[in-house]
Amino acid sequence: MDSYLALIEQSFNTSYSIWAREALDELPECFTITDPCISGHPIIFASSAFLKMSGYSKDEVIGRNGRIFQGPETNRRSVMEIREAIREERALQISLLNYRKDGTPFWMLFHISPVFAKEDGRVIHFVAVQVPILSRQRLNGLSLSEEGSGFKEIVFGSCRREVCSMDMCRVSALDSDSRGLNTEEPCEASEAEKRRAASAINNILSVLTQYSESTGKLVCGKRCSSPGATLISSSLNISLGRIKQSFVLTDPHLPDMPIVYASDAFLKLTGYARDEVLGRNCRFLSGVETDSSVLEKIRESIQAEQACTVRILNYRKNKSTFWNLLHISPVRNATGKIAYYVGVQIEEGFQSQESHGLNPEMRQLSCVGAVRVAVRSTSIGAGSSKS
Amino acid sequence: MSESLMLRIKRVPTVVSNFQKEEAEEGARRSGGCGRNCLQKCCIQGAKLPLFAFKKLNKIVSEKEVLGNENNEPPVAFLDSLLLGEWEDRMQRGLFRYDVTACETKVIPGEYGFIAQLNEGRHLKKRPTEFRVDEVLQPFDVNKFNFTKVGQEEVLFQFESSEDGDVQFFPSAPIDVDNSPSVVAINVSPIEYGHVLLIPRILECLPQRIDRESFLLALYMAIEAGNPWFRLGYNSLGAFATINHLHFQAYYLAVQFPIEKAPTKKITTLDSGVKIYELVNYPVRGLLFEGGNTVQDLSNTVSDACISLQDNNIPYNVLISDCGKRIFLLPQCYAEKQALGEVSPELLDTQVNPAVWEISGHMVLKRKKDYEEASEENAWRLLAEVSLSEARFEEVKALIFEAISCRDKGSENDAQDLLEDANANNSLEEVDAINKGSHCAMVSGNQECLVRQ
């Protein structure tokens, strides 16, 4: 848990420095910043205005995914649209019903926008602004005062205990009938609210850009260059982040077939940090006592574009060894051609808590399957960036 | 349509099992121990398969409660893992007729993003067989291919509800012949990775028709998988189901289906909390069901709608999407048109049989030419042929609402009122706009939010 929060803090501080938080909190708007490269696509920053509006404390929000603010009446299609925009790394403005901590729903104009690293054009964060929509009050022809007073009567007429234990069905029956519930009617934001959201995004981006200069990791609101060859898109990152097994993705089209993705479980297993493995060939996991004939077998399989399973002696960062039941398989993308190789590691003898009753071999295969779905789908989009 | 003339079309059936033979061959093969390790009496004694027992949720779980550890992205759910793992295992064992991931696929540029796949291996170069398309309900025929004839290696696991309310997994459980299990099997001609068949109560040999219990099973599967990209589909007879043995299909595709993006117009909310919408500005007319106070409420409403269509001989398709939260119901009449010779040869040449996946916007094309020339316009044109006309759709809607409202608990309104009230809620302007025809422009006003990027 600690290390996860540390990752989150680091995500913010590395890009913008700790001083940026103060500057961001001076902005009056409600907004969050999320990191698609961390498993779970969590919130790494929430403005004080946002916390106030939603009723949550900072600790309840940092590290969590934005879906916690959704609820039963939230429009599913809108949720899908947001998911798609994130996947396609583009901005989106959409009305959405969210829920506060106390469970009360409210309409807001949701505006999400990617933050690009200036150097290589990849998406490092998303900024999401929430502008409450106040313009429309819907009661389906029933006058506010009429219903309001009726409701108030019941409340004042009963003693406190009765009110608290009142059957919710009765209470809602006082409201307009089920077809007229406020929350069901969609809410169009006014032009002013839309402008407000857009300018909030700009303000936030300019603070982020400014502070990124101090860390040397420049960012900008638009993609300035095409994504670097060694990297995978944030959408593939997000998809792969759901997979809990230890695995890496390597790119056979790049010189020396480097690792382009490593799961958290892989890092935990081998003891390395992410930036110590990305861009390197897997051979650093082998050592003096690793059987070279096994390495040869792996080479041959890759050459033949075949899957293989081997038992290989691997070395952690701290030089300790473990037997790795390694399964390697080519993974194709939407073009039908091989885009990556996936290597799934099982530490022999290790009892995983999350075994779920699936044996290690089955878990290994399911990891391969999940990677196949992710890679194939990420590259399918007409306008999506490199998978 | 009650015609004394029987309507038939000819098509090459998709091979879903390695044990599926042509009808001529079926006849020739006589009974006796088959030695194929199938699921019939000859081989099933002592057979064991993994068994996944799902949790029977009552309430729709709120987003906050969705299981996740501190990382809060729910990890790949257990059912998901099991299905993907078993499927990958069969893939590596060479049980599929081709590698579907080697099939080129793309999103067609356009507003809706139809998905096209070039798959030359899916369809056989065989003689087309005749299918009767004017009877949505047909009795089970033991002489024809059915899923008890598949090899056991094609079955991934049994899928049942858990006795004690918690998810349970048994890696090797005997098949209870007296209490037929429901199973998940592979489709050896997959459309996408993970393409499986859910066969409720397989040994009971139910014909292809929806009933409440089976539909609920399918819905539970969608919920249990917990993956918005894992969708279930159903084709009735006459709507391009080829095998008259009750089954649903499912597969993974991590992009939005065009139908999921279509704007909708709310018709009503039932007392059970189920919300019913109509698709707007989509080539195929259909309904969308969401919500419900319990999972059963949603399931029963949709089942009842399907049953009313079956009973009225109207072919239809169903798509379960968004982890079981959104269910699309699409009556269709393409097969009927085809049988009556009303479909243009151009469309027939593509050999696209518009079943649930095609209607949802995922087109599998067998000719390179069609794949390269695929456009949103072409896709739209094909699907528009599938749709019921506006007038017919209104009739069918009325039928559905009749069936649903009879069962809607405590509802004072009858079907007509439900529809009338819904219309009254909208402005006249909108009602006119909707009535103007299938290609209506975005309707403004107080209805489902149509904000697009």
Side-chain angles (χ1 to χ4, degrees):
Chain A
M1 177 64 171
D2 266 334
S3 60
Y4 187 69
L5 285 178
L7 256 181
I8 290 182
E9 273 228 18
Q10 199 185 35
S11 166
F12 186 93
N13 297 343
T14 320
S15 296
Y16 313 117
S17 89
I18 54 176
W19 314 112
R21 288 173 208 276
E22 254 183 63
L24 289 173
D25 266 332
E26 276 168 27
L27 298 171
E29 305 297 349
C30 305
F31 66 93
T32 55
I33 301 177
T34 61
D35 187 339
C37 300
I38 297 180
S39 161
H41 194 179
I43 295 171
I44 63 166
F45 178 87
S47 74
S48 36
F50 176 86
L51 296 175
K52 190 160 171 225
M53 171 188 74
S54 62
Y56 286 95
S57 73
K58 191 176 116 159
D59 294 333
E60 291 170 324
V61 163
I62 301 291
R64 308 204 63 181
N65 181 281
R67 76 170 62 83
I68 61 168
F69 307 110
Q70 295 161 18
E73 297 296 320
T74 304
N75 184 282
R76 300 304 310 166
R77 223 181 102 246
S78 304
V79 171
M80 273 194 160
E81 280 198 56
I82 294 170
R83 199 187 287 139
E84 277 300 286
I86 291 172
R87 214 177 59 84
E88 292 174 11
E89 300 178 337
R90 57 176 162 80
L92 171 71
Q93 212 185 52
I94 190 169
S95 301
L96 192 72
L97 187 76
N98 260 9
Y99 289 73
R100 296 187 189 87
K101 182 175 175 178
D102 64 9
T104 56
F106 65 99
W107 278 98
M108 52 95 171
L109 180 65
F110 183 79
H111 186 148
I112 189 166
S113 196
V115 181
F116 299 92
K118 198 155 183 186
E119 185 185 25
D120 53 20
R122 67 193 170 92
V123 173
I124 57 165
H125 295 125
F126 282 92
V127 175
V129 165
Q130 302 83 13
V131 174
I133 296 178
L134 307 168
S135 37
R136 307 284 198 101
Q137 295 298 325
R138 302 179 171 289
L139 278 164
N140 245 15
L142 294 162
S143 95
L144 179 57
S145 56
E146 209 175 287
E147 275 311 287
S149 59
F151 182 63
K152 278 193 190 122
E153 263 168 36
I154 299 285
V155 169
F156 291 152
S158 331
C159 77
R160 205 172 161 70
R161 197 161 24 100
E162 271 169 75
V163 171
C164 295
S165 65
M166 233 196 313
D167 189 16
M168 276 318 289
C169 296
R170 279 182 52 212
V171 172
S172 61
L174 296 171
D175 247 345
S176 40
D177 72 309
S178 62
R179 274 172 283 153
L181 267 181
N182 284 8
T183 55
E184 298 217 4
E185 296 288 328
C187 231
E188 177 78 19
S190 68
E191 284 309 309
E193 283 156 351
K194 290 181 187 173
R195 278 195 301 271
R196 197 172 139 199
S199 83
I201 290 276
N202 288 336
N203 293 340
I204 297 161
L205 283 174
S206 79
V207 170
L208 293 180
T209 309
Q210 182 194 342
Y211 279 85
S212 72
E213 283 165 20
S214 70
T215 62
K217 301 204 184 232
L218 287 164
V219 302
C220 55
K222 292 198 185 341
R223 203 192 297 276
C224 310
S225 64
S226 45
T230 50
L231 301 157
I232 60 176
S233 70
S234 68
S235 79
L236 184 53
N237 247 306
I238 295 174
S239 308
L240 295 176
R242 293 182 73 222
I243 305 170
K244 295 307 165 196
Q245 285 88 338
S246 165
F247 72 97
V248 294
L249 226 55
T250 61
D251 191 336
H253 304 108
L254 295 174
D256 206 25
M257 198 158 147
I259 294 174
V260 294
Y261 180 89
S263 71
D264 291 343
F266 173 83
L267 301 176
K268 191 162 174 218
L269 169 66
T270 59
Y272 287 97
R274 188 160 273 113
D275 59 12
E276 291 174 319
V277 312
L278 288 181
R280 297 176 69 184
N281 177 285
C282 291
R283 73 173 66 83
F284 68 86
L285 290 167
S286 301
V288 196
E289 291 182 24
T290 302
D291 187 344
S292 55
S293 66
V294 173
L295 290 171
E296 188 53 39
K297 181 171 178 205
I298 294 174
R299 251 192 297 275
E300 282 169 8
S301 298
I302 292 176
Q303 190 86 326
E305 296 183 348
Q306 301 278 327
C308 71
T309 307
V310 298
R311 184 172 172 265
I312 186 172
L313 189 70
N314 275 160
Y315 290 70
R316 295 191 182 84
K317 182 174 180 182
N318 64 9
K319 307 283 188 260
S320 66
T321 61
F322 64 96
W323 280 104
N324 180 1
L325 295 164
L326 175 66
H327 177 89
I328 298 176
S329 192
V331 177
R332 297 169 186 275
N333 65 13
T335 63
K337 303 193 175 60
I338 295 175
Y340 303 105
Y341 277 79
V342 63
V344 189
Q345 301 81 22
I346 296 182
E347 185 184 358
E348 200 179 70
F350 178 73
Q351 285 301 341
S352 167
Q353 301 98 317
E354 293 175 53
S355 47
H356 281 315
L358 282 183
N359 64 40
E361 286 71 34
M362 195 47 65
R363 271 182 284 127
Q364 201 172 42
L365 290 171
S366 88
C367 174
V368 175
V371 169
R372 290 201 199 284
V373 174
V375 170
R376 182 158 165 88
S377 308
T378 311
S379 57
I380 201 177
S384 63
S385 57
K386 181 194 184 316
S387 62
Chain B
M1 48 139 272
S2 48
E3 281 164 286
S4 49
L5 170 77
M6 230 191 271
L7 288 184
R8 293 191 149 108
I9 58 168
K10 279 195 170 185
R11 45 180 289 235
V12 182
T14 312
V15 171
V16 301
S17 162
N18 292 318
F19 297 87
Q20 190 176 340
K21 307 257 189 273
E22 274 193 47
E23 293 213 9
E25 292 176 47
E26 282 284 8
R29 177 175 281 286
R30 280 293 141 217
S31 58
C34 63
R36 291 180 316 187
N37 204 30
C38 69
L39 294 171
Q40 300 192 311
K41 289 195 197 68
C42 42
C43 310
I44 199 168
Q45 282 306 326
K48 288 189 180 171
L49 285 170
L51 165 61
F52 185 95
F54 60 87
K55 189 158 104 174
K56 271 184 130 153
L57 278 176
N58 261 327
K59 287 285 174 187
I60 309 284
V61 177
S62 85
E63 292 294 345
K64 273 208 279 203
E65 293 159 21
V66 165
L67 72 81
N69 39 31
E70 59 273 11
N71 294 353
N72 293 117
E73 169 89 25
V76 174
F78 187 6
L79 178 60
D80 222 21
S81 282
L82 175 65
L83 206 149
L84 287 166
E86 294 285 351
W87 213 90
E88 176 68 21
D89 171 70
R90 300 309 189 274
M91 181 145 138
Q92 295 198 9
R93 279 160 59 177
L95 291 183
F96 295 98
R97 291 178 52 240
Y98 51 83
D99 179 358
V100 69
T101 66
C103 298
E104 204 183 323
T105 182
K106 65 183 180 185
V107 168
I108 301 169
E111 199 188 339
Y112 275 89
F114 286 91
I115 304 139
Q117 181 189 107
L118 176 58
N119 189 333
E120 286 147 323
R122 181 157 210 258
H123 303 99
L124 302 171
K125 292 174 177 41
K126 282 192 172 188
R127 266 183 318 108
T129 21
E130 251 187 9
F131 285 89
R132 200 163 164 193
V133 296
D134 56 350
E135 291 279 349
V136 174
L137 297 175
Q138 293 174 33
F140 188 86
D141 183 350
V142 294
N143 293 318
K144 295 212 169 125
F145 174 77
N146 66 71
F147 296 113
T148 61
K149 301 186 183 182
V150 311
Q152 284 171 30
E153 69 274 15
E154 292 178 353
V155 183
L156 302 185
F157 53 90
Q158 306 175 63
F159 186 68
E160 296 291 320
S161 71
S162 167
E163 313 259 297
D164 66 5
D166 262 324
V167 170
Q168 287 180 296
F169 178 67
F170 305 94
S172 179
I175 298 175
D176 187 352
V177 180
D178 298 317
N179 201 2
S180 175
S182 303
V183 302
V184 174
I186 56 172
N187 180 333
V188 306
S189 305
I191 290 181
E192 260 308 327
Y193 192 87
H195 196 167
V196 294
L197 307 162
L198 169 66
I199 305 153
R201 293 168 283 144
I202 185 172
L203 302 175
E204 285 180 36
C205 290
L206 305 165
Q208 184 76 340
R209 65 190 292 175
I210 283 185
D211 61 85
R212 278 186 163 197
E213 196 184 327
S214 306
F215 194 82
L216 186 56
L217 184 76
L219 192 53
Y220 274 128
M221 185 169 195
I223 294 170
E224 191 69 44
N227 185 335
W229 312 122
F230 179 74
R231 304 165 181 91
L232 275 93
Y234 176 85
N235 301 319
S236 78
L237 294 175
F240 300 102
T242 35
I243 296 162
N244 188 15
H245 184 175
L246 182 58
H247 66 284
F248 294 80
Q249 302 181 42
Y251 62 81
Y252 294 85
L253 186 58
V255 293
Q256 264 194 288
F257 279 177
I259 200 175
E260 293 167 337
K261 298 188 200 180
T264 56
K265 173 175 83 107
K266 178 88 168 292
I267 298 178
T268 188
T269 303
L270 303 177
D271 281 355
S272 59
V274 176
K275 294 175 269 190
I276 309 179
Y277 305 78
E278 189 178 322
L279 290 177
V280 167
N281 204 26
Y282 194 71
V284 184
R285 291 181 180 83
L287 298 175
L288 166 64
F289 298 80
E290 288 185 6
N293 299 328
T294 66
V295 171
Q296 283 81 357
D297 285 325
L298 180 60
S299 181
N300 290 344
T301 304
V302 182
S303 307
D304 292 347
C306 294
I307 291 166
S308 78
L309 293 180
Q310 281 163 187
D311 292 344
N312 284 282
N313 213 19
I314 298 163
Y316 64 92
N317 309 90
V318 183
L319 175 74
I320 300 177
S321 98
D322 199 8
C323 306
K325 293 195 182 79
R326 305 176 87 206
I327 307 174
F328 296 87
L329 173 58
L330 305 133
Q332 68 147 291
C333 63
Y334 191 85
E336 181 189 324
K337 282 185 181 169
Q338 202 176 334
L340 292 171
E342 289 171 11
V343 181
S344 80
E346 202 181 38
L347 284 178
L348 287 177
D349 280 344
T350 64
Q351 293 194 49
V352 171
N353 290 315
V356 63
W357 310 119
E358 288 78 7
I359 294 178
S360 302
H362 188 189
M363 315 280 192
V364 176
L365 303 165
K366 75 174 270 198
R367 296 190 306 189
K368 201 161 168 70
K369 160 175 135 58
D370 296 321
Y371 180 75
E372 270 154 17
E373 293 170 10
S375 68
E376 179 151 303
E377 210 191 299
N378 289 347
W380 193 288
R381 215 154 30 101
L382 173 75
L383 293 183
E385 289 294 316
V386 180
S387 179
L388 295 187
S389 69
E390 203 186 319
R392 181 75 180 126
F393 186 67
E394 289 302 313
E395 284 172 16
V396 169
K397 242 181 16 183
L399 265 175
I400 290 174
F401 276 91
E402 175 101 42
I404 292 174
S405 64
C406 288
R407 316 260 197 139
D408 191 24
K409 349 188 248 267
S411 172
E412 297 294 306
N413 304 330
D414 75 345
Q416 201 45 40
D417 281 355
L418 277 176
L419 284 176
E420 275 172 6
D421 284 344
N423 280 335
N425 283 342
N426 300 321
S427 69
L428 276 172
E429 189 196 335
E430 280 175 37
V431 174
D432 275 333
I434 299 296
N435 288 338
K436 268 198 188 95
S438 50
H439 283 251
C440 53
M442 291 293 183
V443 179
S444 59
N446 42 323
Q447 62 154 87
E448 268 297 303
C449 185
L450 294 172
V451 173
R452 302 185 72 88
Q453 66 275 14

